[in-house]
Amino acid sequence: MATSSLRILILSLLLADIGFLSACGEGAGSCNSSNCDGCCQGDFCQPGSEASACGLSGAQCSDCAAQGLGCYSGQCTPGACRAKGESCGSPANCCGDSVCRAGQCVAPSGACTSDAQCDQESETCDTAKGTCVCKGGFTRCGAICSDLATDPSHCGSCGASCTLPNAVAGCAAQKCTVASCSPGFFDGDGDRANGCETTCQGLSLTSSGSLDFDLKTITLSGKVTLAGGTAPAGNPRGTLSFALAGTKKVVSVDLPTSGAATYSVQLFAGTYTIRYDKAADCRAAAMPCGSQELKKSIALTSSGSLDLDVQRTASSQTITVSGEVTVNGMAMASSTSTRGQIVFQPAGATSGLNKSLGASGKATYSITLSPGTYDVAIDTGWQCPAQGPLPCQKSIRMRGLSLTSSGSLNVDLPVVTLSGNVTVNGSAMSANSPSRGSLIVADDDGFGPVLDLGTSGAASYRTLLYTGTHTFTVSNLQQPCAGPVPCMSRQVLGTTPVSTGGALDLDLKVVQITGSVKANGQALGASSSGNPRGTLAFNEGAARRAVDLGSSGAASYKVQLYAGTYDLSLENSFDCPNGPLPCGSYTVQKGVTLTASGAYDLDAPVAKVSGAVTVNGAAMATSPSGSSRGRLTFDGPSTVAVDIPSSGSARYSATVYAGTHAISFSNSNDCPTGPAPCQKYVVNPAQAISGSGSLAIDLPVGELSGVVTANGAAIGASATGGARGLVIFVEPKLGAVGDDLGTSGAVRYKVRLYPGSYQVTFSNSTDCPSTGDEPLPCQGGAVVMPTLQVPPGPGAANLDLKIVTLSGKVTVNGRPMPDSLNGNPRGELDFGLQPDGAPLQFFFEASGAALYQTRLLQGSYDIGFKNDSDCPDGAVPCQHQILSGCRVP
């Protein structure tokens, strides 16, 4: 009896505004080796990622593909990397010694004036030093900052590069592992640390026919012992897990809580890793907690018996540590509420197990831990009593303490009292409501009391501190800004030893600065939109103070600051793109010393550029959708974007800072039939703009159309009323553009594309009936044409989809598949078009012959069987199995 089929397609299409990396100089007239990273054809820069043979300056790239490399600037380079001047998303995108900063591959100078000039993922700008420094969690490895836990080029330590046979290497938890297997290989032994050692080849389906599959299953049973002896009872007693190499689903078997620790399991024949896991009941007499690998790369090809032995481990034991916490050698005083808690956290961690110290009596504790190395901290939290016996903070008192056995551990806390006054320029701090700010006293770990400076009277403080070094910071972040101290955070006293109590007064050096902001020596014009013209920001390291420049009138300012050296930047996010100041953030001056009150004026170099955006030298057509026809972006000292309206003259006008700009055009709204392609195109990677003027922008656009057929014949009408699929044109740097095939009638497509070398694919996720056949298979990722050159102007290319029909049966150990005892579907047969196409799935009903019939796009396939429904004790094992190729689709 034929079974019914349910086909589920998981398809993700990258269309419209996709963040593909744009190539240098594509489409630029008179291209050459200095502005083109691919091949120069007809004055247009063509992408070289397909290892084109044209070369630059005599260099040839025809042999790059054989080496698994791409062609950039006439040289064979890793296909994923980008040359200097190209856009990038992470350090690994850049070739050679170049690094990714401000979204562009540049030489590794590391010089900066703002965070925007550093790698956004891993670096920040130390403006005091003028260099890019690593963010927390990253380590400097040569020119880049690396996460040693995940970077395969610096895995665990700088320079420790991961290289694994037949695999793209990854790094996880500072250890090399397989990120993905190379085409034709898979991880047959389940060991992710030794690469992909097993060869595999997808099943090539070029014609219709019959194909049967036989599932090999085994039954395995045995007993589990502990260190060669009887496994003690327990609830839970533990779980055995069986992982079939090359698949992800694990078969788990719980051991009985009492009696003999035996197991029995049904599996697909293959190579397995067997583990024992237990997460609770860690008493010494019970089975150990944690995870143990019992068997690795063991071939299980026939039914039989396999006994397994679990070993005792140090991590499965526990110890008890107890003691008293004292203050300055004396019993801790009582408090009106809890006195805090003692915390045992694994060395280097930020949290761990804790015990309360209570509110009165001796501050004793007792805590049960696993043996290991710990940091011991005292934590009172932020809301501790004003007259408590301990400082209001968390403090790590012991580091790297090895605890291997039960015992006593007393902790004595050296605590002192510090007090003083906070003054401004040598005088008492004036009153202010609701607050004059806070004084933060922090230890070497950044923890410490936060002390309110009150609203009136002497700004005095009194606090308990642990002895050691501390920093003193005044913070006033209230809005709107008011008070006798500047509205910012400022460290007023650096690392200071505190070993005894006493008095420590702090004097704040404060200045009043006034001035005006001009553009090209002229007064700043009024906002045409009525919005604020931006802000002037004073930046001192992490400290920042910004003042509003208003919407009209003199762009004057008055600001209260701490005496110091500042970087001054203009920031505008509202009055765009034609305000008197450009959009974005721009550092006008660096290292301005302001140590006395006075006046300081600023002048910004501003240019107003305008012009027409044309397509192939002609006026841009009106949008058929009524949407913006695209966005022109100037990415230079700041980023300015201008939308092109839906109709009328496609002219633009923008205010930018003088400097070098990467100019690009993108379209994500007027898709897919707008006059500009639904892609991002770099018009000029390095346009110098020194003053106001006109700048014309011409977009070279190809208009491609054609007929789509199936096996040389016309395609029938949709079975569901949904579109019959999509043809998708993909260029790695420019992006992807698709057109649907409609629901009925002749199948034609029409797309607009920027010049380049494209791969044409087909996908169908909309016309997928639950029964019966659709005109085209419900799957995706089929390559219709591997390479299609698209020049500017009109062009034509017809596409023919090759389809095969396949049928057959699935048996188990050479016999018909048994009926389900649960009444559930007995699993599914999955066909995945290589290299990584989403699966077309055929489900088998609960009973009857396991027959299938399906139509597929011609190609090479990974084929797998999955049982996620008939569980447990189903007709076949509750797991996955590779039947052909390298993966379970």
Side-chain angles (χ1 to χ4, degrees):
M1 179 179 67
T3 63
S4 65
S5 65
L6 171 64
R7 284 159 289 185
I8 302 173
L9 184 65
I10 304 170
L11 179 64
S12 176
L13 302 177
L14 297 174
L15 295 177
D17 190 22
I18 302 178
F20 279 78
L21 300 176
S22 301
C24 277
E26 290 176 17
S30 302
C31 64
N32 53 55
S33 59
S34 66
N35 65 10
C36 178
D37 68 355
C39 298
C40 200
Q41 296 178 339
D43 279 344
F44 287 96
C45 184
Q46 305 295 331
S49 60
E50 296 299 325
S52 144
C54 62
L56 296 171
S57 303
Q60 297 293 312
C61 278
S62 57
D63 60 345
C64 291
Q67 304 174 47
L69 302 175
C71 176
Y72 294 95
S73 299
Q75 297 180 355
C76 294
T77 60
C81 77
R82 300 286 179 257
K84 288 184 177 71
E86 284 194 283
S87 59
C88 56
S90 68
N93 288 139
C94 297
C95 300
D97 66 347
S98 59
V99 296
C100 183
R101 290 201 174 100
Q104 190 175 59
C105 294
V106 297
S109 67
C112 66
T113 58
S114 68
D115 287 347
Q117 295 169 300
C118 301
D119 177 59
Q120 301 298 293
E121 177 185 1
S122 63
E123 295 177 327
T124 187
C125 183
D126 184 338
T127 55
K129 297 179 180 178
T131 59
C132 296
V133 297
C134 297
K135 292 180 179 179
F138 291 86
T139 301
R140 174 68 62 184
C141 293
I144 69 169
C145 292
S146 173
D147 182 349
L148 301 183
T150 61
D151 187 350
S153 297
H154 306 280
C155 189
S157 62
C158 290
S161 178
C162 294
T163 303
L164 297 175
N166 311 314
V168 175
C171 179
Q174 300 191 6
K175 294 183 179 180
C176 294
T177 186
V178 171
S180 62
C181 291
S182 302
F185 293 88
F186 80 97
D187 181 19
D189 62 4
D191 186 352
R192 306 294 286 177
N194 67 354
C196 302
E197 70 292 328
T198 305
T199 57
C200 60
Q201 186 174 4
L203 183 64
S204 180
L205 299 177
T206 58
S207 60
S208 300
S210 177
L211 182 62
D212 296 334
F213 298 98
D214 186 50
L215 307 178
K216 303 297 184 182
T217 68
I218 64 170
T219 299
L220 201 67
S221 61
K223 65 178 179 179
V224 176
T225 53
L226 176 62
T230 301
N235 187 13
R237 201 179 200 174
T239 300
L240 297 178
S241 63
F242 298 81
L244 178 61
T247 67
K248 295 181 179 179
K249 185 170 183 179
V250 174
V251 177
S252 297
V253 181
D254 291 333
L255 296 177
T257 59
S258 60
T262 58
Y263 75 92
S264 180
V265 62
Q266 185 184 25
L267 302 169
F268 287 124
T271 300
Y272 281 84
T273 296
I274 306 174
R275 303 189 70 87
Y276 168 83
D277 297 279
K278 187 166 175 286
D281 189 21
C282 297
R283 296 169 300 172
M287 296 290 284
C289 284
S291 179
Q292 295 184 33
E293 187 176 85
L294 305 182
K295 297 289 183 181
K296 181 178 179 180
S297 303
I298 182 172
L300 301 176
T301 58
S302 59
S303 298
S305 177
L306 178 65
D307 294 335
L308 302 167
D309 188 53
V310 176
Q311 296 297 311
R312 293 194 182 277
T313 62
S315 61
S316 68
Q317 308 301 311
T318 59
I319 60 174
T320 299
V321 179
S322 60
E324 181 182 0
V325 180
T326 55
V327 177
N328 296 327
M330 307 291 289
M332 189 181 298
S334 297
S335 173
T336 56
S337 63
T338 179
R339 293 172 292 190
Q341 55 190 9
I342 186 169
V343 184
F344 287 77
Q345 55 197 40
T350 57
S351 62
L353 297 176
N354 60 75
K355 282 292 183 180
S356 173
L357 298 177
S360 61
K362 287 189 174 183
T364 58
Y365 72 93
S366 179
I367 192 167
T368 301
L369 308 164
S370 296
T373 303
Y374 289 86
D375 294 337
V376 181
I378 302 296
D379 190 358
T380 57
W382 295 102
Q383 302 297 324
C384 60
Q387 302 302 320
L390 298 177
C392 285
Q393 67 174 103
K394 180 178 181 179
S395 177
I396 300 175
R397 307 311 306 168
M398 298 179 179
R399 294 182 184 275
L401 185 65
S402 179
L403 299 175
T404 58
S405 60
S406 298
S408 176
L409 178 65
N410 295 324
V411 180
D412 187 56
L413 307 176
V415 175
V416 298
T417 300
L418 196 69
S419 62
N421 292 314
V422 182
T423 55
V424 176
N425 294 331
S427 300
M429 189 181 294
S430 60
N432 183 72
S433 179
S435 171
R436 292 182 293 191
S438 301
L439 174 64
I440 304 169
V441 186
D443 62 15
D444 292 339
D445 295 311
F447 302 120
V450 179
L451 310 170
D452 189 0
L453 295 179
T455 60
S456 61
S460 60
Y461 73 93
R462 182 181 179 86
T463 185
L464 294 174
L465 295 176
Y466 293 109
T467 58
T469 56
H470 297 266
T471 59
F472 295 76
T473 300
V474 172
S475 178
N476 177 22
L477 301 179
Q478 60 182 311
Q479 293 295 332
C481 179
V485 298
C487 296
M488 57 196 302
S489 291
R490 168 71 175 265
Q491 187 180 105
V492 294
L493 192 60
T495 303
T496 303
V498 176
S499 58
T500 59
L504 179 63
D505 295 332
L506 303 171
D507 187 52
L508 311 180
K509 303 300 182 183
V510 175
V511 298
Q512 305 285 340
I513 306 297
T514 60
S516 64
V517 176
K518 297 181 179 180
N520 301 324
Q522 302 296 315
L524 208 60
S527 164
S528 59
S529 63
N531 293 316
R533 291 170 292 188
T535 58
L536 172 62
F538 294 79
N539 304 290
E540 184 191 39
R544 180 179 183 274
R545 174 75 174 97
V547 290
D548 192 350
L549 297 178
S551 60
S552 62
S556 59
Y557 72 90
K558 181 178 181 181
V559 65
Q560 182 175 250
L561 302 169
Y562 289 106
T565 301
Y566 291 84
D567 294 339
L568 278 56
S569 64
L570 292 170
E571 301 171 1
N572 178 20
S573 59
F574 296 103
D575 194 25
C576 304
N578 290 307
L581 289 177
C583 292
S585 177
Y586 172 65
T587 300
V588 185
Q589 292 187 14
K590 285 180 60 66
V592 178
T593 301
L594 302 173
T595 56
S597 297
Y600 197 88
D601 297 330
L602 289 96
D603 188 32
V606 173
K608 292 185 178 291
V609 291
S610 61
V613 179
T614 54
V615 175
N616 295 334
M620 184 180 285
T622 297
S623 163
S625 66
S627 302
S628 164
R629 288 172 286 183
R631 171 170 290 188
L632 186 65
T633 301
F634 295 80
D635 194 356
S638 70
T639 300
V640 178
V642 185
D643 288 327
I644 305 300
S646 61
S647 61
S649 174
R651 293 192 62 83
Y652 75 91
S653 177
T655 305
V656 301
Y657 290 109
T660 301
H661 296 256
I663 303 177
S664 63
F665 192 88
S666 60
N667 177 22
S668 60
N669 295 322
D670 194 25
C671 299
T673 57
C678 297
Q679 299 171 289
K680 182 178 179 181
Y681 174 72
V682 177
V683 179
N684 192 323
Q687 175 70 54
I689 299 177
S690 57
S692 299
S694 178
L695 181 63
I697 304 294
D698 186 54
L699 306 176
V701 175
E703 299 181 355
L704 198 66
S705 61
V707 175
V708 182
T709 54
N711 293 337
I715 298 172
S718 165
T720 64
R724 291 170 286 188
L726 289 166
V727 287
I728 308 164
F729 298 79
V730 182
E731 203 288 327
K733 298 179 184 178
L734 296 172
V737 175
D739 191 21
D740 72 59
L741 303 184
T743 61
S744 61
V747 179
R748 297 190 62 86
Y749 75 89
K750 184 176 182 179
V751 292
R752 286 187 172 90
L753 306 167
Y754 289 114
S757 180
Y758 288 80
Q759 182 185 78
V760 187
T761 64
F762 167 81
S763 292
N764 175 23
S765 63
T766 51
D767 189 25
C768 303
S770 57
T771 59
D773 289 331
E774 64 285 324
L776 295 173
C778 192
Q779 61 184 124
V783 177
V784 182
M785 193 175 293
T787 305
L788 176 63
Q789 293 293 334
V790 177
N798 295 329
L799 306 173
D800 187 47
L801 305 177
K802 302 299 183 183
I803 299 172
V804 300
T805 299
L806 204 66
S807 61
K809 63 183 177 181
V810 177
T811 54
V812 178
N813 296 327
R815 299 177 180 178
M817 185 184 295
D819 293 344
S820 167
L821 299 177
N822 305 309
N824 297 322
R826 292 169 291 179
E828 64 189 72
L829 194 61
D830 288 5
F831 295 83
L833 186 62
Q834 290 185 336
D836 54 7
L840 191 152
Q841 301 166 320
F842 195 99
F843 285 79
F844 297 103
E845 293 178 345
S847 61
L851 304 175
Y852 77 93
Q853 180 171 329
T854 188
R855 295 189 312 142
L856 301 165
L857 296 165
Q858 188 181 90
S860 183
Y861 280 83
D862 292 315
I863 305 174
F865 184 88
K866 297 179 183 177
N867 178 20
D868 295 321
S869 54
D870 193 22
C871 305
D873 303 323
V876 294
C878 220
Q879 60 183 135
H880 301 168
Q881 185 180 43
I882 298 174
L883 301 179
S884 174
C886 301
R887 65 187 178 108
V888 178

